[in-house]
Amino acid sequence: MRTWFPYPLLSIALLLMWLLLSQSVTPGSIVLGLVVSTVLAWVTLNLQPARSRLHRWSRIAGFILRVVGDVIRSNIAVTLIILRAGRRPVNAGFMTVSLDLDDENALALLACVVTATPGTAGLEYDRRQKILLFHVLDIENEDLWRKTITRYAADLKEIFE
């Protein structure tokens, strides 16, 4: 099975995404989705991504709940910033956070979480110095952002390493 589908979960996820985005689900779109998802899985195999093992499955649900809660709070904060923009200037800026995270997939997930959180954007990670550079829409809460990113990294380190 692995010879035809090197990453079966990736192939299934890509096929489901293909079917969700298609206008109608027909036998032809299913076959085309299978072909595209299989080819993309083979392309991914040629990139030789690092394989990670999840060590603490019990921490995943807590991490997801924490991220969802932070995204909701950040949505509210960004809405308030936009509503008061005419009365008070936006205090945006760049921040750096030192991270003790080595797993590539954990770093990729952290980058996705930071970028998906409204008001933030992950920009660069320096592997030698282990420093993450990101942009924050409201830098007044610099300590809160630093603690949040550090907490995410600690959770991901427990899950992945």
Side-chain angles (χ1 to χ4, degrees):
M1 181 79 170
R2 283 253 189 222
T3 57
W4 287 96
F5 299 103
Y7 296 109
L9 291 177
L10 176 64
S11 295
I12 291 169
L14 290 172
L15 174 62
L16 290 175
M17 185 63 71
W18 178 272
L19 294 175
L20 286 172
L21 293 175
S22 65
Q23 296 292 338
S24 61
V25 178
T26 62
S29 68
I30 293 172
V31 170
L32 185 59
L34 280 170
V35 170
V36 168
S37 65
T38 304
V39 168
L40 288 176
W42 277 99
V43 168
T44 303
L45 180 66
N46 290 334
L47 295 174
Q48 298 178 353
R51 291 185 184 242
S52 295
R53 293 195 54 179
L54 301 179
H55 295 282
R56 301 271 317 260
W57 285 87
S58 59
R59 302 280 298 167
I60 294 173
F63 177 74
I64 290 171
L65 288 174
R66 180 174 288 134
V67 169
V68 168
D70 288 345
V71 166
I72 290 170
R73 278 193 294 278
S74 188
N75 269 307
I76 294 168
V78 168
T79 302
L80 293 174
I81 289 169
I82 291 169
L83 291 176
R84 72 171 189 234
R87 291 174 279 164
R88 196 168 120 207
V90 176
N91 190 15
F94 296 94
M95 290 182 54
T96 58
V97 176
S98 296
L99 300 176
D100 184 28
L101 198 57
D102 294 320
D103 188 273
E104 290 182 13
N105 292 313
L107 286 167
L109 185 57
L110 178 64
C112 290
V113 167
V114 169
T115 302
T117 304
T120 62
L123 300 175
E124 181 182 33
Y125 180 70
D126 185 347
R127 289 185 184 276
R128 281 183 263 128
Q129 296 180 1
K130 295 187 175 187
I131 294 176
L132 174 69
L133 172 69
F134 63 104
H135 184 269
V136 178
L137 183 61
D138 187 14
I139 199 128
E140 289 177 13
N141 298 325
E142 189 172 342
D143 290 335
L144 177 65
W145 283 114
R146 209 171 248 112
K147 287 177 187 175
T148 301
I149 301 298
T150 304
R151 186 179 67 209
Y152 288 160
D155 288 348
L156 290 170
K157 184 171 183 154
E158 281 188 40
I159 292 169
F160 282 94
E161 295 179 6

